Amino acid sequence: MFARLRSRSQRLLIVFGLASGCVLVCLWRTAEATDGERRGLASGLRSLLHFEMPAGAHISLPDPPKVLVAAAEPEDNSTRPHHHHEMDPEAALRRRCALVKGTWCGEFLRQVRLPARPVPRGRKECPNACSGWGNCNHDTGMCECPAGHGGEDCSKPVKRPCAHRHRNISNPNATEPVSSVGPNGLDIGPTTVQGWTASRCFGFCDEDVAACYCGEGRYARIPPPPGSPPWTPPVQRGRPLADGCQPNTDATGAKSFAAGGGTSWADIYGPNGFCNDPNKATRCGCFQEIAFPCDGSVPMETTCMNQCSGHGECHFGYCRCHKFWYGSDCSRKKADSGPLEPALHESERPWLRPVVAVPPAALETPPISTRPRPLIYVYDVPPDYTSRMLQYRNFGDTCLWRRWHDGNFTGITGYTYGIETLMHELMLQSEHRTFDPEEADFFYVPMYITCYFWPILGWADGPWWHAPNGLRVMHGANMITELHDWLRTKLPYWDRRGGRDHIWLMAADEGACWMPKAVYDTSIVLTHWGRLDPEHKSNTAYLQDNYTAKPESAFDAWRGVDFGDRIKGHPCFDPRKDLVVPAFKSPNHFPRSPLIGAPPLERDLLLFFRGDVGASRLPHYSRGIRQRLFHLAHKHDWYNRFKIAIGSGDSLKGDYSEQLARSKFCLVAPGDGWSPRAEDAILHGCIPVVVMDGVQAVFESILDWDSFSLRIREDDAALEALPQLLASISPERLAHMQRHLARVWHRFAYTQTPFLKATVDRTIHGYQHKLQEAKQEVLRDAPYQPVAHYPHADDAFGTIMQWLFHRIPDTRG
């Protein structure tokens, strides 16, 4: 879709779209665009109209098929599924390591665990006590500064003001962000100064994070008095103003910068407007992570990693640690500073308990006498790459896998790229975490690149890595280079083994394809995109993510535009050192799955796919696979002839989880790169049909995918013959694949945080209770039998840990 399409001088064109379910943004300066930019943009916009959905493409599925349950009979334990605790150790090991390739699983389970020991705590001091703003990391002696502050002691202002434009490309390497904020915090001229970015504020701007609030009225933002001590809260927080709630005129009717969009002055600043009427809180909404009535009057937690371990206050992603506590999640206490006092979740804030997990290594007395390898040291990287991204995000649901709601209730967001914050939190909470880098087997480098890509990039005039343009992969590659330089110059552990023991997560659509070679060649990369060809070009249909493109020549003098030279010469994925890991799927995404205990449905659909089929897309989206299959299905009436349902969300209505749970086979095809369709299929017991040549699927390098999936070539002949191929598969072979899938499906879901574990266990228990209450049981010949316990130790994160253990010798070479 298009938003704020403007053509006057200094205005921006923003093109929004959906990539793997996430809204992305592309920016051009229309006033300063080159002829090449304009021609390319016009061509791209024409190409977006690749095809229109044909009339009659809608598919109406019949009512749900019958449920495969019967009245309960006397229990016959010989036919029921066994659990690990019912078997001897070797039998349990064989069951846990079912369908693995190689020895990694058995090696991990047979390891001799290390003795547990308290890790010495740091005592280094930081410059100027971080000016009262930042946390002092007593291990490194470095300050970790919140948004608005920087420098070695956090005394340097690092502002992100609301802005009416971005930096001028004719002024290369300009470092100060453009501002449209006056000394009083209000816009310098909403009706007289032209220009717009998404951050522009017809109200009061919090210049630390480019957040906009009511500038007058009952719910105006009132900052703390000048000269107040650090962390003094505002006198009044005020109600936040979303971009769509900017008044399009002033009180006199003069048009503002939001003319053509926004809303009326009266709706915002009138007596009955959002900024004055207590009953109008829903007018612009609590889009930030803030409780109703959206003015800060009702206290509510905000989301930080591991909720600061209960030893800090969370400020929209940044942990302000309590005295003597330190680390990005406040899980460490300074040496010789007294005993460990009770954490907040153990005392005054019990609502934190569902989300906090203190890693065993953080405790003075380890809870058990041994610990498993691999031992992983999680870097406390500069907040620029992690927590500051969360402070800049403005929207409550973006960048996070979970967030807080009214009443201090935690909910799962379902955010497509939530894996970045989830993986970081899993690492922080894990029993594999060590605080001693000298004993670490691996080093995890957290970085929220996709969070920066959306919604932060271009929202205001900064942050940029480094030229102010919309080629997002340039910014991502430069971020990695910059963080790599920090690791090499500030800490000794990269050079100790040449980076072979360093782990990076690349969650963007085309994964590690555009990682700088200096980092990719030796590091371990966790990715969703298993593209194997060594000589590759970008295939994204999003122009701003085309890593083989070059920034416009107008930016040649800017720092970082040479990123293309630094990313060349490596594949996107190397199965010898990298791993394709599952995307995050909330347990709420597969509630009808028989694998989690839901009564199984008769699988009356032969093949199923619901999603983006390439309408209004560039032709090479999904390599054209989804488009070709959609047109074949429509042209040859595959649904009525074969019960093959392929369509978009608009043309194929219904409960997505139920549709997957009633399908025998499910299509797995790329999008702009990776797509989480394999996870959708597997978590519902649907056999994946993989159509993407030269691309490994999730865990395909370490699990026997041939036993529970099919792979079809991309060529036209193979796609046209797909119905006949699937129809030829016997019920016996299908059941064989389903039973194999039932042995590994749990490895494709993340369940090891306390909240996710409780959610899954509650779901399983609920289905067991319903079956018992109805005096029903699943038919004995159904391939998916109810489970009593989820094998959390062998979930997706557990699988990654087991595989990493196997990789330890390779890091020592």
Side-chain angles (χ1 to χ4, degrees):
M1 65 179 176
F2 298 98
R4 289 197 182 267
L5 181 58
R6 302 185 175 201
S7 59
R8 287 179 290 176
S9 177
Q10 302 299 326
R11 299 292 172 97
L12 296 172
L13 170 64
I14 297 188
V15 181
F16 289 82
L18 295 176
S20 303
C22 176
V23 179
L24 307 174
V25 64
C26 182
L27 302 150
W28 283 271
R29 297 177 176 276
T30 57
E32 300 164 344
T34 66
D35 289 340
E37 281 180 311
R38 294 192 184 97
R39 286 193 301 270
L41 177 58
S43 174
L45 295 181
R46 286 194 298 270
S47 297
L48 284 174
L49 304 177
H50 179 41
F51 71 86
E52 295 182 359
M53 295 292 290
H58 294 268
I59 298 174
S60 296
L61 297 180
D63 291 336
K66 64 182 179 183
V67 178
L68 303 179
V69 294
E73 298 177 4
E75 184 67 26
D76 178 3
N77 290 327
S78 65
T79 65
R80 309 309 293 166
H82 295 285
H83 304 292
H84 300 331
H85 63 276
E86 299 170 344
M87 300 180 177
D88 65 81
E90 282 301 310
L93 185 147
R94 288 193 298 272
R95 186 178 183 88
R96 290 183 65 179
C97 295
L99 303 183
V100 306
K101 291 180 179 178
T103 59
W104 54 270
C105 177
E107 289 176 15
F108 173 85
L109 296 178
R110 290 189 177 98
Q111 70 171 292
V112 178
R113 292 166 64 102
L114 300 171
R117 64 178 181 87
V119 177
R121 289 179 270 156
R123 62 179 73 249
K124 293 180 180 179
E125 299 294 342
C126 290
N128 194 30
C130 304
S131 304
W133 281 108
N135 296 322
C136 177
N137 189 309
H138 296 293
D139 288 340
T140 63
M142 290 185 278
C143 292
E144 294 160 359
C145 310
H149 306 273
E152 290 189 357
D153 64 351
C154 302
S155 64
K156 178 184 175 183
V158 181
K159 298 299 182 182
R160 190 188 184 222
C162 302
H164 63 296
R165 64 175 177 84
H166 296 153
R167 266 162 265 190
N168 194 308
I169 59 176
S170 63
N171 184 17
N173 298 315
T175 57
E176 291 302 312
V178 172
S179 174
S180 58
V181 183
N184 58 359
L186 304 178
D187 192 86
I188 55 177
T191 62
T192 58
V193 177
Q194 298 298 307
W196 175 87
T197 69
S199 69
R200 191 157 188 196
C201 177
F202 201 153
F204 185 92
C205 179
D206 179 350
E207 294 185 84
D208 286 344
V209 295
C212 184
Y213 297 86
C214 293
E216 59 180 87
R218 177 176 178 174
Y219 296 107
R221 175 82 161 195
I222 304 176
S228 297
W231 292 106
T232 300
V235 175
Q236 180 169 284
R237 175 181 173 135
R239 279 181 173 167
L241 286 179
D243 174 44
C245 280
Q246 302 299 317
N248 50 30
T249 69
D250 66 7
T252 69
K255 290 184 177 181
S256 78
F257 62 81
T263 188
S264 71
W265 169 270
D267 281 346
I268 302 301
Y269 288 122
N272 298 314
F274 177 70
C275 293
N276 281 298
D277 191 334
N279 298 315
K280 292 294 178 66
T282 57
R283 174 64 186 82
C284 293
C286 306
F287 64 95
Q288 292 183 343
E289 202 172 12
I290 179 175
F292 191 86
C294 316
D295 60 2
S297 61
V298 177
M300 190 183 86
E301 300 286 344
T302 58
T303 304
C304 284
M305 295 301 93
N306 202 23
Q307 288 307 128
C308 311
S309 302
H311 292 294
E313 302 296 330
C314 179
H315 292 267
F316 297 95
Y318 176 85
C319 285
R320 184 191 176 201
C321 298
H322 296 159
K323 188 176 181 180
F324 299 128
W325 290 86
Y326 66 100
S328 62
D329 65 339
C330 305
S331 56
R332 299 268 280 151
K333 195 176 184 188
K334 184 183 177 185
D336 303 322
S337 61
L340 308 183
E341 59 266 28
L344 293 174
H345 63 282
E346 299 171 315
S347 53
E348 58 196 80
R349 299 186 195 172
W351 55 84
L352 295 176
R353 290 174 189 164
V355 296
V356 176
V358 178
L363 301 174
E364 284 186 306
T365 303
I368 56 176
S369 60
T370 61
R371 54 197 173 132
R373 298 175 73 181
L375 301 178
I376 300 178
Y377 182 84
V378 183
Y379 278 119
D380 292 322
V381 302
D384 309 53
Y385 309 102
T386 51
S387 62
R388 194 167 298 178
M389 294 293 103
L390 302 185
Q391 290 187 280
Y392 285 164
R393 77 189 191 276
N394 275 309
F395 301 105
D397 284 348
T398 54
C399 304
L400 301 171
W401 75 269
R402 62 170 179 85
R403 60 157 294 180
W404 293 92
H405 296 275
D406 290 22
N408 286 320
F409 163 76
T410 301
I412 300 172
T413 68
Y415 188 70
T416 300
Y417 302 99
I419 188 68
E420 285 186 327
T421 50
L422 174 63
M423 187 65 72
H424 190 191
E425 194 158 56
L426 283 165
M427 291 285 187
L428 293 172
Q429 296 177 342
S430 174
E431 65 176 341
H432 295 280
R433 186 180 181 187
T434 178
F435 293 99
D436 183 358
E438 297 299 333
E439 72 169 3
D441 299 310
F442 298 100
F443 295 78
Y444 183 70
V445 188
M447 204 174 191
Y448 302 165
I449 293 177
T450 62
C451 179
Y452 172 69
F453 280 3
W454 173 261
I456 294 165
L457 189 151
W459 183 265
D461 186 34
W464 302 104
W465 274 275
H466 299 279
N469 73 64
L471 195 58
R472 304 186 317 169
V473 289
M474 179 198 75
H475 296 277
N478 288 335
M479 286 175 73
I480 297 171
T481 294
E482 190 175 278
L483 184 49
H484 177 224
D485 291 342
W486 182 86
L487 292 173
R488 294 202 63 187
T489 57
K490 299 295 185 181
L491 299 170
Y493 307 111
W494 177 276
D495 288 336
R496 185 174 69 175
R497 296 189 178 115
R500 290 187 300 274
D501 51 3
H502 280 57
I503 303 168
W504 303 70
L505 172 68
M506 291 297 292
D509 289 354
E510 293 192 288
C513 296
W514 45 265
M515 279 189 87
K517 182 176 170 61
V519 177
Y520 178 85
D521 278 354
T522 55
S523 293
I524 295 168
V525 178
L526 306 180
T527 180
H528 298 322
W529 187 228
R531 185 175 173 181
L532 294 166
D533 45 326
E535 300 295 332
H536 53 87
K537 293 182 178 180
S538 178
N539 191 64
T540 180
Y542 280 95
L543 304 180
Q544 69 270 33
D545 283 353
N546 184 347
Y547 62 84
T548 46
K550 294 181 179 180
E552 283 292 319
S553 58
F555 291 101
D556 282 352
W558 285 77
R559 176 186 173 198
V561 295
D562 62 343
F563 83 101
D565 297 329
R566 288 181 278 111
I567 68 174
K568 292 178 180 177
H570 68 77
C572 301
F573 171 71
D574 182 350
R576 296 171 299 179
K577 69 177 187 68
D578 304 331
L579 190 64
V580 182
V581 300
F584 171 57
K585 291 291 182 180
S586 161
N588 301 328
H589 188 77
F590 48 100
R592 299 301 305 272
S593 172
L595 292 163
I596 205 169
L601 302 176
E602 179 185 13
R603 294 189 180 261
D604 61 336
L605 296 178
L606 180 60
L607 176 68
F608 175 75
F609 176 84
R610 190 178 95 181
D612 194 331
V613 293
S616 301
R617 287 283 201 165
L618 293 173
H620 59 277
Y621 171 74
S622 186
R623 303 183 177 185
I625 297 168
R626 296 188 188 186
Q627 298 92 312
R628 282 181 282 168
L629 284 172
F630 172 75
H631 284 298
L632 286 169
H634 176 69
K635 178 180 178 181
H636 299 295
D637 195 17
W638 280 1
Y639 176 70
N640 288 315
R641 294 174 62 197
F642 304 105
K643 290 296 181 283
I644 291 178
I646 297 177
S648 66
D650 291 332
S651 65
L652 191 52
K653 304 287 188 180
D655 183 295
Y656 185 59
S657 181
E658 178 187 284
Q659 290 167 347
L660 289 161
R662 65 190 290 186
S663 301
K664 296 181 177 73
F665 299 95
C666 291
L667 176 66
V668 176
D672 272 308
W674 69 270
S675 171
R677 303 299 176 168
E679 293 90 327
D680 286 350
I682 290 169
L683 294 176
H684 285 87
C686 186
I687 300 302
V689 177
V690 182
V691 187
M692 47 186 189
D693 295 349
V695 179
Q696 284 201 357
V698 177
F699 289 154
E700 189 171 356
S701 62
I702 62 173
L703 294 178
D704 182 14
W705 263 70
D706 290 343
S707 67
F708 58 82
S709 70
L710 297 174
R711 186 173 279 273
I712 308 298
R713 299 189 313 274
E714 291 181 19
D715 64 77
D716 290 339
L719 298 183
E720 289 178 8
L722 186 57
Q724 291 75 23
L725 172 64
L726 296 180
S728 69
I729 294 175
S730 67
E732 292 76 18
R733 186 185 173 196
L734 175 61
H736 180 77
M737 288 190 287
Q738 290 171 333
R739 287 189 168 87
H740 277 84
L741 182 58
R743 302 172 74 184
V744 295
W745 76 275
H746 53 275
R747 293 191 180 273
F748 292 80
Y750 296 91
T751 69
Q752 285 199 27
T753 75
F755 187 75
L756 290 173
K757 183 178 294 186
T759 301
V760 170
D761 290 345
R762 187 166 53 247
T763 302
I764 290 174
H765 176 76
Y767 277 123
Q768 287 179 324
H769 179 73
K770 288 179 181 179
L771 285 171
Q772 293 168 0
E773 191 176 62
K775 294 182 171 56
Q776 290 179 318
E777 67 175 24
V778 175
L779 295 178
R780 301 303 177 95
D781 59 351
Y784 304 128
Q785 294 293 321
V787 293
H789 306 282
Y790 188 96
H792 296 289
D794 298 331
D795 79 333
F797 185 73
T799 300
I800 294 168
M801 293 299 104
Q802 294 164 19
W803 174 78
L804 283 172
F805 177 83
H806 173 76
R807 286 294 320 280
I808 292 174
D810 299 319
T811 68
R812 305 295 193 262

